[in-house]
Amino acid sequence: CSSSSHISHSSLMALWKRWDELLQKVAERQDLLDNNLLSKQYIFDASEAEAWMGEQELYLMGVEKAKDEQGAENAMKKHELIENTVENYAEEIRALGERSREMTGNYHPEAEFVAQRQSRVDKMYAGLKELCLETRNRLDE
């Protein structure tokens, strides 16, 4: 072997060391991307939940007391459907809360922001349930 085509043992070891460093950097970058995806997906899903709850609130605020018995029955049926839908949405809110707590437990870089957002989602859902009750009471009168 000529000296120009011969790779020394130390050069080969240095190359392997650099390769390992590169693999480590790639793994670190992948972790950052995974964390970013996790938080962005949570934020998107929380925004969707807030938008849905906002739509339900607008609908409930517009419910008027019916002028006759048939109208009252129809309004109550529609309201019961909304109430059931809101009640079933609790699972979505619970799942968002679990994801938020998981990020906090795993010391996710955006855990504090996500926890604040979850608090807002929880408050909004509680307010929606209260509005459902108020609307039901208004329709029962």
Side-chain angles (χ1 to χ4, degrees):
C1 285
S2 72
S3 62
S4 63
S5 66
H6 177 67
I7 298 176
S8 72
H9 178 70
S10 63
S11 296
L12 190 55
M13 293 308 291
L15 183 61
W16 278 112
K17 181 180 179 207
R18 296 290 305 223
W19 178 252
D20 286 342
E21 290 170 359
L22 179 61
L23 290 177
Q24 182 179 350
K25 294 284 185 197
V26 167
E28 289 170 5
R29 180 73 176 149
Q30 186 62 51
D31 286 345
L32 286 173
L33 290 171
D34 290 345
N35 277 334
N36 194 2
L37 176 62
L38 191 63
S39 63
K40 297 305 179 217
Q41 186 63 53
Y42 171 85
I43 291 166
F44 175 81
D45 293 344
S47 295
E48 290 285 308
E50 288 173 333
W52 183 86
M53 289 186 288
E55 290 171 7
Q56 305 315 305
E57 286 176 350
L58 287 175
Y59 174 79
L60 288 168
M61 285 189 249
V63 172
E64 302 267 334
K65 189 172 178 179
K67 298 186 184 355
D68 61 14
E69 192 170 327
Q70 182 65 36
E73 287 178 19
N74 288 339
M76 187 55 81
K77 285 179 185 176
K78 285 181 183 178
H79 180 71
E80 286 172 352
L81 182 63
I82 293 290
E83 271 184 324
N84 289 337
T85 303
V86 168
E87 193 62 41
N88 291 338
Y89 206 72
E91 180 60 29
E92 296 295 324
I93 302 302
R94 187 196 60 71
L96 280 171
E98 277 184 21
R99 288 166 53 195
S100 171
R101 286 185 294 282
E102 187 175 308
M103 283 191 263
T104 300
N106 291 336
Y107 304 102
H108 188 281
E110 293 191 52
E112 185 176 331
F113 173 77
V114 167
Q116 290 171 352
R117 187 71 182 264
Q118 184 62 39
S119 177
R120 193 168 87 188
V121 166
D122 290 340
K123 286 176 187 169
M124 190 172 186
Y125 184 71
L128 179 59
K129 289 193 57 129
E130 181 65 29
L131 186 56
C132 278
L133 182 59
E134 290 171 9
T135 303
R136 173 176 279 285
N137 290 339
R138 192 170 60 237
L139 290 173
D140 279 341
E141 292 175 349

